[in-house]
Amino acid sequence: MTSEITLFVNPTAGRGRGAHAAQPAASALRDAGFSVRTVLGEDADDALRRAREAVAAGTGALIAVGGDGLMSLALQAVAGTATPLGVVAVGTGNDFARTLGLPVRDPAAAGRLAARALKEGGLREIDLGRVGERWFGTVLASGFDSRVNDRGNRMRFVGGRFKYDLAILAELAAFRPIPYRLRFDGGEPVETEATLIAVGNGTTYGGGMRICAGAKTDDGLFDVTVVGPCTRATLLKVFPRVYRGTHLDHPAVTVHRVSSIELAAAGITAYADGEPMGPLPLTATCVPGAVRVLTGG
């Protein structure tokens, strides 16, 4: 393995933590004997192009420094290649790192872990979800949760988690169950009403909400959490349980383990790894062992 590795940095992640995090992460890697090259981009498309160029040129690893948005870009560059992905999670949600049990908001520790993994072979092959040509590592959201994302993204006057708390309240006021058409593993179509449907390769979204608490990233299957139609009062009661994963015991919630799912619903935009994936309908497929991640064990 080449000793030159690439730091893929989002300087704006976590309200500027990305820029500050790059230095201690790079120092940890250099102290371990690695040559570090930093890649930035003028925008997301330019950053992805540069990351793909580094992978094609044979970099020893792509180390992503930022939040879940940058991790999503990094996955597009390394999925299906032999280039390992390192994670220095310094964003707001950091769900990809949480799912894998990696350090969160500790760039020096994350850099040391990546260096140790590169030297000692601490690589873990994990599954990824795929929609068309797009990859995702954690959860694809559709329904009430994606509408909250839509509304939150339109709010320019507030930031951080408070923005999404306000968006939740606003969406609750307009809440109605959504008619879905589903197909699991190419089977017969199923018509159902639901509050939301979350397709989990990983366990969490939204900064630690364990919507797909039983999901495993190396079993070749999604955990599909379906929250059936329920009243606003029930939703308000169940929603806080998502942080502990205990919502899965509620009678309104069912979980399906499948390798692919077709989702259709009118007026719903899907989000994956917190990024807009596009309007339904779509088909998501779980691809086993799609990426190698530096996990240290």
Side-chain angles (χ1 to χ4, degrees):
M1 178 180 289
T2 177
S3 64
E4 181 179 278
I5 61 176
T6 302
L7 272 191
F8 184 39
V9 182
N10 179 0
T12 64
R15 299 182 183 179
R17 281 192 295 268
H20 295 296
Q23 185 173 350
S27 295
L29 290 158
R30 290 190 178 107
D31 288 347
F34 292 97
S35 172
V36 178
R37 174 175 170 262
T38 300
V39 167
L40 298 167
E42 295 179 2
D43 53 31
D45 289 341
D46 183 54
L48 178 56
R49 178 184 63 79
R50 292 169 186 261
R52 283 176 166 157
E53 286 175 352
V55 170
T59 187
L62 188 71
I63 312 291
V65 184
D68 284 323
L70 190 77
M71 300 306 155
S72 177
L73 277 182
L75 289 176
Q76 312 314 309
V78 299
T81 76
T83 303
L85 173 66
V87 178
V88 180
V90 292
T92 303
N94 303 309
D95 287 295
F96 189 67
R98 293 175 195 275
T99 287
L100 297 175
L102 298 174
V104 170
R105 296 180 189 162
D106 189 342
R112 289 192 298 269
L113 183 149
R116 186 168 65 251
L118 284 166
K119 290 196 164 205
E120 300 175 2
L123 295 168
R124 180 180 168 195
E125 288 192 351
I126 67 166
D127 310 334
L128 293 177
R130 190 167 190 175
V131 176
E133 297 301 312
R134 293 272 301 278
W135 301 89
F136 67 93
T138 56
V139 176
L140 184 147
S142 74
F144 176 78
D145 44 8
S146 63
R147 284 179 168 170
V148 168
N149 244 325
D150 280 338
R151 186 178 290 271
N153 289 340
R154 295 195 299 268
M155 290 181 175
R156 305 299 182 190
F157 56 91
V158 290
R161 293 293 300 273
F162 181 61
K163 173 170 68 175
Y164 290 98
D165 291 340
L166 287 178
I168 286 170
L169 291 174
E171 282 302 318
L172 275 172
F175 172 73
R176 296 288 187 279
I178 299 161
Y180 282 90
R181 182 181 176 90
L182 311 175
R183 191 190 301 265
F184 298 120
D185 288 334
E188 291 298 314
V190 176
E191 307 272 355
T192 189
E193 283 196 336
T195 300
L196 65 86
I197 297 177
V199 182
N201 181 61
T203 53
T204 73
Y205 65 5
M209 298 171 68
R210 297 174 57 80
I211 187 68
C212 299
K216 295 179 173 60
T217 55
D218 57 2
D219 63 354
L221 297 172
F222 292 131
D223 272 31
V224 179
T225 300
V226 179
V227 179
C230 54
T231 64
R232 292 186 188 88
T234 300
L235 188 55
L236 282 168
K237 184 182 297 183
V238 172
F239 207 71
R241 293 170 57 179
V242 174
Y243 286 96
R244 301 186 302 276
T246 56
H247 64 292
L248 299 180
D249 297 331
H250 193 278
V253 178
T254 56
V255 176
H256 307 265
R257 289 192 169 91
V258 299
S259 59
S260 70
I261 178 172
E262 297 174 36
L263 277 169
I268 299 296
T269 298
Y271 284 75
D273 294 340
E275 300 296 308
M277 186 64 74
L280 301 187
L282 59 74
T283 299
T285 303
C286 185
V287 182
V291 68
R292 305 163 78 210
V293 182
L294 299 173
T295 61

